[in-house]
Amino acid sequence: MEIRSILFVCTGNICRSPTAEGVLRHLARRKNVEIRVESAGTHGYHVGEAPDERAQHHARRRGYDLSAQRARRVAARDFAEFDLIVAMDRGHLAILGRACPAEHRHKLRLLLEERDVPDPYYGGPEGFEHVLDLVEAACGELLAGFACS
């Protein structure tokens, strides 16, 4: 299956998934890979809001601009529209699995194999830096996979 579109998913779509969206979009642009990248939340807590200021701050320090993104909730149409739907943790993956039609379940996966990306929301700056470290490495691997396809 050729991957042309990816949806990253976390809880409220203000920390982890928008960070992954921004990182992959930036890396794809640098490598001249055309891919649709979006993010969404399993819950609608922050619909319409920009990413968390701390997530934006730490991303900006590494050259990623998240400022234009706005939180949204996963929609039923996403399962058909996206080639790959990437959960930040096993809880998100379980929620997606329950909502996803059977014919699209093959599109669901974790960002990190058998490991969760921890939620930095209630922690300090080191949590946001750790998320960026994990996301950068995983997005680099994802992008390398596209180049090989």
Side-chain angles (χ1 to χ4, degrees):
M1 173 178 75
E2 189 173 357
I3 307 292
R4 295 264 181 218
S5 58
I6 294 181
L7 179 68
F8 291 106
V9 178
C10 70
T11 305
N13 192 214
I14 60 166
C15 294
R16 292 172 283 178
S17 59
T19 297
E21 176 185 346
V23 168
L24 186 61
R25 182 175 287 130
H26 178 88
L27 295 176
R29 199 175 309 126
R30 276 188 27 208
K31 300 251 184 208
N32 208 24
V33 173
E34 284 192 40
I35 188 158
R36 174 183 173 199
V37 183
E38 292 185 25
S39 62
T42 56
H43 295 75
Y45 304 135
H46 303 283
V47 170
E49 294 179 20
D52 184 284
E53 282 296 326
R54 297 164 298 169
Q56 288 192 61
H57 169 76
H58 290 278
R60 195 170 32 253
R61 288 179 48 197
R62 295 194 192 191
Y64 309 114
D65 182 8
L66 312 182
S67 64
Q69 296 181 42
R70 293 296 174 264
R72 71 174 183 87
R73 189 171 184 182
V74 173
R77 72 180 184 283
D78 291 331
F79 298 111
E81 286 186 15
F82 286 90
D83 297 324
L84 190 59
I85 301 171
V86 180
M88 295 295 118
D89 68 32
R90 286 170 280 216
H92 304 132
L93 189 61
I95 292 168
L96 291 167
R98 288 190 297 273
C100 185
E103 68 267 21
H104 297 297
R105 285 204 185 107
H106 67 280
K107 299 177 180 183
L108 304 178
R109 63 163 277 193
L110 285 171
L111 179 64
L112 304 174
E113 191 174 315
E114 298 182 32
R115 185 172 167 207
D116 292 345
V117 175
D119 189 351
Y121 188 79
Y122 294 104
E126 63 284 345
F128 289 90
E129 289 295 324
H130 182 58
V131 165
L132 276 161
D133 291 341
L134 295 172
V135 165
E136 284 177 332
C139 285
E141 289 176 19
L142 273 174
L143 202 55
F146 304 149
C148 295
S149 305

